[in-house]
Amino acid sequence: MARRPKRSHNGGPPLDDYKGPPWGKGDPYIFLAWQTAHAKAWKAPSREVMLMRMDKAERLGLTYEEYTLEILERGRHLREEDTERISAIKAARKRRRARHLD
């Protein structure tokens, strides 16, 4: 029986550690579209933008990836006043580490 996707799953094909045909089990167009969108979203920004994000992430206590992911997912640049969201990101980081150890 097929497993239901998690509640937070966006319906896209797996992109990391994927084993199987290059188009997945479904429509090859969807797989390639998601792969292209993923590459475009994580395309390296200019040096100045990257340094600014790294500095801002460090001041907030986040990693560059966490800070950039927040921009990509929510379209917001976090500030010091966003303590609630920053603490939620840090709590999720701890949960991921704990799950990884299981």
Side-chain angles (χ1 to χ4, degrees):
M1 179 181 275
R3 291 175 36 175
R4 292 180 56 177
K6 290 184 179 180
R7 183 175 146 176
S8 61
H9 195 284
N10 64 6
L15 297 174
D16 298 330
D17 301 329
Y18 178 68
K19 293 177 179 39
W23 57 85
K25 293 181 181 177
D27 185 2
Y29 174 78
I30 293 173
F31 178 83
L32 294 173
W34 275 96
Q35 194 174 38
T36 302
H38 183 268
K40 185 177 178 182
W42 284 101
K43 180 182 171 193
S46 68
R47 182 178 186 275
E48 292 78 22
V49 170
M50 188 179 300
L51 291 174
M52 184 266 312
R53 286 181 185 172
M54 287 173 61
D55 181 53
K56 185 78 170 210
E58 186 177 312
R59 281 190 279 136
L60 296 173
L62 301 173
T63 66
Y64 173 81
E65 289 81 12
E66 290 168 337
Y67 184 77
T68 302
L69 191 59
E70 187 69 18
I71 295 169
L72 293 174
E73 286 183 340
R74 293 182 173 72
R76 293 188 62 229
H77 293 265
L78 293 172
R79 300 181 306 192
E80 287 80 9
E81 297 85 35
D82 298 322
T83 55
E84 192 172 307
R85 180 64 193 143
I86 293 168
S87 60
I89 293 170
K90 289 179 180 179
R93 179 192 313 160
K94 290 177 184 174
R95 284 194 301 270
R96 281 193 308 272
R97 279 191 202 143
R99 241 185 321 164
H100 189 264
L101 297 175
D102 289 342

